[in-house]
């Protein structure tokens, strides 16, 4: 009964269409902000579940030193800025590789998408500055 109620709510509010629309908008905004970033290897996902790969060298996909825990630094700074993201490490070979996942709610607005990208960019840049200098 609970699952059926959830499905009816999702259908009644056209949340799947919203997820498709806002997911495409989020990917576009992330590509606009990070598409040519020297340390972003890839941006990919489906709907509002988006992964962002962080690399030391974009051309070679060389990873950051795992002792830097770049993914955890980004999570920390994002959280301090009011954004929750999900960090992941060891994703290249079990030991090396950093990524973060973004999974905003189905009801996110256009303005909130913009806010998400601004907050994520600040967290990424602050974290990169820590491991670079």
């Amino acid at each position: 009964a609970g699952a059926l109620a959830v499905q009816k709510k999702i259908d009644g509010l056209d949340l799947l269409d919203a997820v498709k629309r806002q997911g495409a908008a989020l990917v576009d905004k992330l590509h606009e902000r990070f598409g040519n970033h020297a340390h972003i290897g890839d941006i990919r996902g489906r709907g509002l579940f988006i992964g962002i790969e962080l690399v030391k060298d974009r051309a070679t996909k060389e990873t950051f030193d795992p002792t830097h825990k770049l993914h955890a630094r980004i999570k920390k700074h994002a959280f301090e800025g009011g954004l929750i993201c999900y960090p992941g490490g060891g994703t290249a070979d079990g030991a090396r590789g950093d990524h973060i996942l973004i999974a905003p709610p189905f009801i996110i607005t256009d303005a909130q998408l913009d806010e998400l990208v601004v907050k994520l960019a600040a967290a990424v840049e602050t974290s990169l500055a820590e491991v670079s200098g």
Side-chain angles (χ1 to χ4, degrees), residues 36-119:
N36 293 315
H37 194 287
H39 299 294
I40 302 296
D42 197 9
I43 300 168
R44 63 181 177 271
R46 187 169 188 165
L48 285 168
F49 192 71
I50 309 296
I52 302 169
E53 176 190 32
L54 298 128
V55 293
K56 187 171 184 179
D57 183 297
R58 182 183 173 142
T60 65
K61 299 288 181 128
E62 177 188 357
T63 60
F64 282 95
D65 181 335
T67 63
H68 292 314
K69 297 189 185 291
L70 180 59
H71 59 282
R73 290 173 187 265
I74 292 171
K75 175 193 174 197
K76 174 185 174 282
H77 292 298
F79 192 77
E80 289 170 352
L83 175 67
I84 296 174
C85 62
Y86 307 95
T91 52
D93 63 8
R96 302 182 70 84
D98 295 279
H99 79 272
I100 52 171
L101 296 174
I102 302 297
F106 288 5
I107 58 171
I108 194 165
T109 65
D110 292 338
Q112 289 168 331
L113 288 176
D114 291 336
E115 181 182 355
L116 182 157
V117 173
V118 167
K119 288 179 176 184

